Amino acid sequence: MASPVKLFAALSRLPLGRELFTRGVCRTAPYFGSIRPLVTDLRLGRCEASLRKRRAVQNHIGTVHAIAMCNLCELVGGLLIEATLPKALRWIPKGMTVRYLKKAATDLHAVLEWTPAFADDFRGDVVLPVQVLDSAGIVVMEADITMYVSPRR
């Protein structure tokens, strides 16, 4: 199977290619589909995805629900670590620390920049810092996602 980065790059050149890539991700991990994300960038060291503010992701005060934002963060974190780790390693989410900084009243965009270097026998926690921005570019949430990385069996 092609790496996620190569697959995203190939599909991105096609009309609706990013949408096709995102649908494939959501088919593999169905819960991500609940927020209807769109992966907008995926390359070594960087992943970005967005979600539209719509009724299904809003809370009782009309802003984007905190868990929808967490879901978006886990999407970019999972994609980037999957695309970045050597094939000899595997990962699993271990925890997430979040900081809600402003009301999320618009469409949102999550950004993760991270460039690791691992030995094939690495074992331990890795923290991925994700920022969620509103349509004005203001950071509304920050998340530190802890992934446990270990050798594949």
Side-chain angles (χ1 to χ4, degrees), residues 126-153:
V126 175
V127 178
L128 306 175
V130 182
Q131 287 190 322
V132 178
L133 300 92
D134 66 12
S135 58
I138 297 169
V139 178
V140 297
M141 178 184 153
E142 295 174 333
D144 293 322
I145 304 172
T146 303
M147 302 286 195
Y148 179 71
V149 176
S150 62
R152 291 188 189 272
R153 292 185 180 170

Side-chain angles (χ1 to χ4, degrees), residues 24-46:
V25 170
C26 292
R27 188 171 173 91
T28 302
Y31 186 71
F32 291 132
S34 68
I35 61 168
R36 291 190 197 160
L38 176 64
V39 178
T40 56
D41 190 14
L42 178 59
R43 53 193 145 111
L44 293 179
R46 186 175 181 88

Side-chain angles (χ1 to χ4, degrees), residues 7 20 24 27 30 33 40 43 50 60 63 65 67-69 72 76 92 100 109 116 124 127 130 133 139:
L7 187 57
L20 283 171
R27 188 171 173 91
T40 56
R43 53 193 145 111
S50 61
H60 64 288
T63 60
H65 194 281
I67 298 305
M69 290 189 284
L72 185 64
V76 297
I92 189 162
Y100 304 108
H109 191 77
V127 178
V130 182
L133 300 92
V139 178

Side-chain angles (χ1 to χ4, degrees), residues 93-112:
K94 187 175 176 181
M96 184 184 305
T97 302
V98 296
R99 291 170 297 285
Y100 304 108
L101 307 172
K102 301 267 185 196
K103 287 183 181 178
T106 68
D107 295 346
L108 299 177
H109 191 77
V111 178
L112 170 57

Side-chain angles (χ1 to χ4, degrees), residues 88-90 120-124 148-153:
L89 297 175
R90 63 184 178 174
D120 285 349
D121 62 347
F122 178 85
R123 180 181 303 270
Y148 179 71
V149 176
S150 62
R152 291 188 189 272
R153 292 185 180 170

